[in-house]
Amino acid sequence: MRSCDEQRFADGKRTASGQRPSMGQDMAKGRRTEIEYLNGFVVREGEQVGIPARANERLVDIVKRVERGDLRG
């Protein structure tokens, strides 16, 4: 596991600092994101099997608040 983390950090140093994930680009441009299809799916599936996905649930809430203009992204 440690070697995997080390590789990810090494790979991250090779990317341009101006790169931004597509969801971040959507938020910056005021567009709706795919948060409901990604993290919202995890929350719903977790609910069906009795496993809370609190971090995903919180992330969905925050991104939706940004999309509505209640928070700045």
Side-chain angles (χ1 to χ4, degrees):
M1 186 65 139
R2 183 180 180 139
S3 63
C4 181
D5 289 341
E6 290 170 356
Q7 184 63 50
R8 284 190 327 183
F9 289 131
D11 290 346
K13 291 177 183 174
R14 291 193 309 238
T15 61
S17 62
Q19 289 180 324
R20 181 175 271 203
S22 63
M23 193 178 303
Q25 292 176 32
D26 290 340
M27 291 172 73
K29 294 177 181 178
R31 297 187 300 225
R32 289 186 63 198
T33 69
E34 66 273 17
I35 191 73
E36 192 60 47
Y37 299 102
L38 301 173
N39 297 82
F41 176 78
V42 172
V43 172
R44 290 187 302 278
E45 290 295 305
E47 288 172 348
Q48 288 183 6
V49 296
I51 300 172
R54 290 184 185 102
N56 289 279
E57 186 175 19
R58 184 70 177 131
L59 187 57
V60 170
D61 177 60
I62 291 168
V63 172
K64 285 187 167 205
R65 290 170 61 197
V66 171
E67 289 177 343
R68 287 191 309 262
D70 296 340
L71 290 175
R72 282 190 56 196

